[in-house]
Amino acid sequence: MSAGILSGLAAVLALVLERVSPRVVRRAPGWGRPLLEGIAPSLYGLLPLLIVLQQGWLSLREVGLIGPMSLAPGAFLGWSVADWARGLGLTALYSGITVLALCLAGLRRLASSRRSALPAFEALPMGLGREAMLGLWRGVLWAAGVSDPLPVAWMAFGIWWGAARGLGARGGDPPGPCIWGGVLAATVLFSLTGNLWLSALAHLITLGLLEHGEASPPRASEERSRGREGPSPQD
């Protein structure tokens, strides 16, 4: 079986695991939920990507871990100092635009305190895991011949979004604004830079700045149960 087919199968498996993991976490006993929340992103993101890279099915360049100037003097991870400076500026710009747009649209609020922010031990694996899964899909598309960051990034976003909405319509968990906002910011960064490190940073910044309602499944179920009890007397 060819490397392209194997890496594609790994990407499909990673996508399915990313979609079902919230339900698995919710059904876990209380003592096991924090552990599953911590390891789930590794299972659907980091582990499949590492296996694919270790087996040589995809290259570091194809997933965006190194740039086109890997052997050039003065380059760091294949990008020049100017590329990194421009990329960091774009990361700050588009992460800020994403957060601002979600806040102005009333879809999410800024995390105004430590209690409303997603804890770092949750945000870090969640952002990195999902970005690794997206990086795997970008690598598969790149290896298939779409060797340009712009279409690769948006095609991977379309695949992720289509799967998320499709499974959500069949009883799954559609991604909330904080989730798809992070993915959107990361997609923009990768389309402009082809740099997985910067797209992951944009993903983490977006997750860290927004209140993260999806991180509390028990509260969501309580709200649904209250809604089934009927309207309040004030209504």
Side-chain angles (χ1 to χ4, degrees):
M1 194 175 293
S2 69
I5 294 176
L6 290 171
S7 57
L9 290 174
V12 171
L13 177 60
L15 184 60
V16 172
L17 291 175
E18 189 258 349
R19 287 289 83 219
V20 302
S21 63
R23 283 187 286 174
V24 174
V25 170
R26 272 203 305 271
R27 293 175 182 176
W31 58 266
R33 189 171 297 152
L35 177 62
L36 284 176
E37 287 178 342
I39 67 173
S42 296
L43 294 178
Y44 67 68
L46 296 173
L47 185 58
L49 180 61
L50 288 175
I51 290 174
V52 167
L53 292 175
Q54 192 273 334
Q55 294 295 321
W57 299 339
L58 293 175
S59 68
L60 295 174
R61 174 76 182 104
E62 287 168 336
V63 300
L65 287 172
I66 62 172
M69 304 168 57
S70 55
L71 300 178
F76 178 66
L77 294 176
W79 289 279
S80 68
V81 174
D83 289 333
W84 281 105
R86 172 181 173 272
L88 289 171
L90 291 173
T91 301
L93 174 64
Y94 285 102
S95 300
I97 289 175
T98 302
V99 170
L100 182 62
L102 290 174
C103 292
L104 291 177
L107 297 175
R108 196 45 99 229
R109 293 182 299 174
L110 283 174
S112 56
S113 67
R114 289 185 178 181
R115 294 185 63 184
S116 63
L118 185 65
F121 72 88
E122 292 182 31
L124 185 62
M126 182 183 297
L128 292 180
R130 188 167 286 110
E131 191 59 27
M133 186 268 296
L134 290 168
L136 178 55
W137 270 104
R138 294 170 190 145
V140 169
L141 293 169
W142 193 289
V146 191
S147 54
D148 185 280
L150 183 66
V152 160
W154 290 105
M155 288 172 68
F157 177 84
I159 291 169
W160 174 83
W161 181 256
R165 303 307 298 182
L167 292 177
R170 290 168 174 78
D173 295 302
C178 191
I179 297 294
W180 60 255
V183 175
L184 183 62
T187 298
V188 172
L189 256 295
F190 192 87
S191 70
L192 295 174
T193 66
N195 188 324
L196 184 61
W197 304 102
L198 292 177
S199 63
L201 180 59
H203 208 142
L204 293 176
I205 291 174
T206 306
L207 284 177
L209 288 178
L210 295 171
E211 286 190 355
H212 192 87
E214 294 88 357
S216 304
R219 285 186 213 157
S221 60
E222 290 171 8
E223 290 175 3
R224 286 194 295 268
S225 64
R226 282 199 294 268
R228 285 195 293 267
E229 292 173 3
S232 63
Q234 295 177 351
D235 296 332

